[in-house]
């Protein structure tokens, strides 16, 4: 979502004459777009600000002022603290305010900096954003923001606000514009994207399955994906769609966080391990070849060895094509930050290493199973080596192929010949482009 937001910030600034610079030393404005979910996000921000302070000082001495801005969720959560620790920052604004960037830039120029915008505006930022200036072969499209789940470890409800879904017609129009600019795959984004309930033009609300059906009717849109989903919001309509709509790719990121019901309850996840297993079973009934990805937190306060073993049991039973796993780190202001019975750091390290070993073996096995198969690959960009192009399989795997750059923007059947650490290698079955996607 931050990739999408950063691109839209560039679109908002374009009418003021701003364009992408080669680096901070050549820039008239630098925006650090931040995420508050990962550990030590604030420390990383202030470290980068320290380096940029020197750049700003050099440019000021040379008579070339540099506007320095901090955006995103760290800005939303720690706006005043940023100005206190880095008074040379000019603008601090949250993820719901970037449509006001032109106004903020003008205010910073008049007042000499210190512009803070961390309120939640009454109007939707999406109503004030210009059309995207460009689109790659694979594009992101935010359809939902915010969260009403209030997991005890998560800052999103406090930094992104309550759940909000964009009107279905607005999403469809933006998708058509992206396709007209060259997008052939669109990933629908949201903090809880499958909680989407967008207003229909004729009244009522459309769920995510209905929205995907609408977007699938766009002729030159070849592939649709969505992330990130919450297990509680995987309704039967959406589950069934995975077996019905060929443009919906067979890959789903569905975070579970833990396999222990006791830990899930302390996390306020609103589902049990059995609920999650049942959802996965239903998905696989509708789409047997679906690739699953997930998120895991180890060392949550109070997690016992039995709780961790329950997570391992779930992983071994369900098998994941890829996953993201982290040690618990307290996010300031969240309920979990004050929970008793913390897990010792050494224990968290050991558990994370064990879990990642199991997940890594599963990912390697999933990728190895594709060798010898012929998969439709949507090519997105040139590779590092001459004559190489890179695309994605339906299962989101990167695929490297020796082919002409004319393949970019097309899907072509590729026979997978080898697996590398982070990607696949293959050979085109024939040079003729195909529209088959799954």
């Amino acid at each position: 979502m931050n990739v999408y937001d950063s691109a839209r910030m560039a679109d908002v600034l374009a009418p003021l004459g701003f364009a992408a610079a080669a680096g901070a030393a050549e820039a008239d404005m630098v925006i650090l777009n931040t995420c508050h979910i990962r550990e030590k996000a604030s420390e990383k921000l202030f470290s980068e600000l320290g380096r940029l302070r020197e750049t700003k000082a050099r440019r000021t001495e040379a008579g070339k002022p540099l506007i320095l801005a901090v955006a995103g969720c760290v800005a939303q959560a720690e706006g005043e603290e940023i100005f206190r620790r880095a008074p040379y920052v000019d603008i601090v604004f949250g993820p719901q305010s970037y449509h006001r960037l032109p106004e903020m830039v003008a205010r910073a120029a008049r007042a000499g900096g210190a512009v803070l915008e961390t309120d939640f505006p009454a109007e939707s930022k999406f109503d004030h954003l210009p059309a995207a200036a460009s689109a790659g072969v694979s594009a992101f499209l935010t359809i939902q923001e915010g969260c009403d789940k209030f997991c005890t470890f998560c800052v999103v409800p406090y930094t992104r606000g309550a759940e909000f879904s964009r009107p279905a017609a607005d999403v469809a129009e933006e998708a058509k514009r992206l396709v007209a600019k060259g997008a052939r795959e669109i990933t629908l984004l949201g903090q809880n994207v499958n909680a989407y309930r967008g207003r229909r033009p004729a009244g009522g609300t459309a769920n995510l399955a209905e929205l995907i059906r609408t977007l699938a009717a766009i002729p030159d849109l070849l592939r649709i994906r969505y992330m990130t989903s919450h297990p509680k919001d995987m309704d039967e309509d959406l589950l069934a769609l995975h077996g019905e709509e060929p443009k919906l790719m067979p890959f789903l990121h569905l975070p579970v966080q833990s396999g222990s019901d006791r830990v899930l309850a302390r996390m306020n996840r609103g589902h049990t391990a059995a609920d999650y297993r049942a959802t996965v079973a239903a998905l696989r009934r509708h789409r047997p070849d679906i690739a699953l990805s997930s998120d895991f937190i180890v060392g949550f306060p109070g997690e016992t060895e039995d709780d961790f073993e329950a997570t391992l049991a779930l992983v071994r039973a369900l098998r994941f094509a890829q996953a993201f796993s982290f040690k618990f780190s307290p996010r300031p202001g969240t309920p979990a930050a004050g929970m008793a019975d913390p897990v010792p750091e050494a224990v968290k390290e050991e558990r994370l290493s064990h879990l990642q070993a199991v997940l890594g073996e599963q990912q390697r096995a999933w990728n190895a199973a594709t060798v010898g198969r012929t998969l439709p690959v949507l090519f997105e960009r040139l590779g590092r080596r001459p004559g190489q192009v890179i695309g994605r399989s339906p299962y989101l795997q990167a695929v490297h192929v020796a082919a002409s750059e004319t393949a970019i923007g097309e899907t072509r059947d590729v026979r997978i010949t080898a697996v590398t650490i982070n990607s696949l290698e293959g050979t085109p079955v024939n040079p003729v482009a195909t529209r088959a996607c799954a």
Side-chain angles (χ1 to χ4, degrees):
M1 189 169 283
N2 273 13
V3 173
Y4 174 87
D5 285 347
S6 295
R8 302 320 310 275
M9 290 178 202
D11 293 335
V12 168
L13 290 170
L16 301 186
F18 286 98
E26 295 78 33
D28 298 303
M29 181 175 186
V30 173
I31 303 174
L32 297 180
N33 195 11
T34 62
C35 177
H36 208 1
I37 293 210
R38 300 296 177 87
E39 187 177 8
K40 299 180 180 177
S42 297
E43 287 83 349
K44 292 176 182 177
L45 166 65
F46 287 110
S47 176
E48 185 65 23
L49 285 174
R51 288 189 287 271
L52 288 170
R53 180 182 189 176
E54 298 175 5
T55 302
K56 181 169 183 173
R58 287 194 298 269
R59 285 183 58 89
T60 300
E61 290 176 5
K64 300 177 180 179
L66 170 65
I67 299 172
L68 186 53
V70 179
C73 290
V74 175
Q76 183 71 40
E78 303 183 31
E80 295 286 358
E81 178 68 5
I82 292 170
F83 280 133
R84 188 187 71 79
R85 291 181 57 179
Y88 47 89
V89 171
D90 300 292
I91 305 172
V92 175
F93 59 99
Q96 306 303 333
S97 304
Y98 64 73
H99 61 292
R100 296 178 175 176
L101 257 173
E103 174 193 341
M104 288 184 246
V105 170
R107 286 164 55 195
R110 290 195 303 267
V115 174
L116 178 66
E117 282 275 357
T118 54
D119 293 334
F120 289 97
E123 77 278 5
S124 167
K125 68 186 177 189
F126 297 104
D127 293 338
H128 300 272
L129 295 176
S134 62
V137 173
S138 182
F140 293 127
L141 173 51
T142 293
I143 66 168
Q144 183 272 344
E145 284 195 311
C147 182
D148 296 341
K149 302 294 190 292
F150 287 92
C151 297
T152 57
F153 56 82
C154 186
V155 298
V156 166
Y158 313 102
T159 59
R160 289 274 183 172
E163 288 180 0
F164 164 79
S165 296
R166 297 177 63 187
D170 291 359
V171 173
E173 285 304 309
E174 184 169 347
K176 290 174 183 176
R177 289 194 296 268
L178 291 171
V179 171
K181 293 179 182 295
R184 296 296 173 260
E185 174 182 274
I186 291 179
T187 300
L188 306 177
L189 301 177
Q191 267 82 37
N192 284 307
V193 69
N194 56 339
Y196 176 83
R197 296 294 184 273
R199 188 177 69 251
R200 295 193 194 105
T205 59
N207 61 16
L208 181 59
E210 181 178 331
L211 178 68
I212 290 173
R213 291 189 186 98
T214 299
L215 300 185
I218 300 174
D220 288 329
L221 178 59
L222 305 181
R223 294 180 168 187
I224 300 171
R225 304 182 189 273
Y226 63 92
M227 68 183 304
T228 292
S229 302
H230 194 287
K232 286 179 63 177
D233 294 316
M234 290 299 299
D235 58 46
E236 181 55 38
D237 197 15
L238 185 57
L239 292 169
L241 190 66
H242 277 274
E244 298 168 356
E245 177 48 64
K247 289 188 177 182
L248 180 58
M249 291 294 96
F251 177 91
L252 179 63
H253 183 68
L254 189 63
V256 63
Q257 307 299 356
S258 174
S260 163
D261 288 347
R262 197 178 71 86
V263 173
L264 289 170
R266 285 171 65 83
M267 290 178 168
N268 194 37
R269 289 290 289 168
H271 64 85
T272 65
D275 295 334
Y276 188 86
R277 289 175 185 242
T279 297
V280 170
L283 273 168
R284 286 175 169 160
R285 282 196 301 271
H286 291 292
R287 187 68 196 249
D289 68 326
I290 195 165
L292 287 177
S293 172
S294 195
D295 290 346
F296 295 91
I297 295 173
V298 301
F300 192 79
E303 182 189 68
T304 66
E305 196 61 35
D306 286 344
D307 293 325
F308 178 64
E309 287 297 327
T311 297
L312 290 176
L314 181 141
V315 168
R316 291 183 176 121
L318 297 184
R319 303 193 65 84
F320 293 90
Q322 62 173 252
F324 301 92
S325 51
F326 312 95
K327 294 181 297 180
F328 170 76
S329 62
R331 302 289 84 198
T334 62
M339 284 185 176
D341 200 12
V343 177
E345 191 66 23
V347 175
K348 288 195 285 189
E349 289 276 5
E350 182 180 358
R351 289 176 184 172
L352 181 63
S353 178
H354 190 172
L355 176 62
Q356 289 181 339
V358 175
L359 291 169
E361 183 278 328
Q362 291 185 357
Q363 181 171 355
R364 288 189 294 273
W366 174 268
N367 288 337
T370 63
V371 174
R373 293 182 60 188
T374 296
L375 301 176
V377 174
L378 174 61
F379 290 102
E380 301 176 351
R381 56 189 171 90
L382 293 173
R384 294 181 179 177
R385 299 196 298 268
Q388 183 187 68
V389 291
I390 300 175
R392 294 279 178 180
S393 78
Y395 311 107
L396 204 61
Q397 300 146 306
V399 183
H400 297 243
V401 172
S404 166
E405 65 180 286
T406 59
I408 295 174
E410 300 284 353
T411 57
R412 298 189 178 183
D413 288 337
V414 173
R415 182 175 178 81
I416 306 302
T417 57
V419 177
T420 63
I421 294 176
N422 295 311
S423 62
L424 308 177
E425 294 183 356
T427 303
V429 172
N430 58 62
V432 180
T434 175
R435 292 292 186 179
C437 292

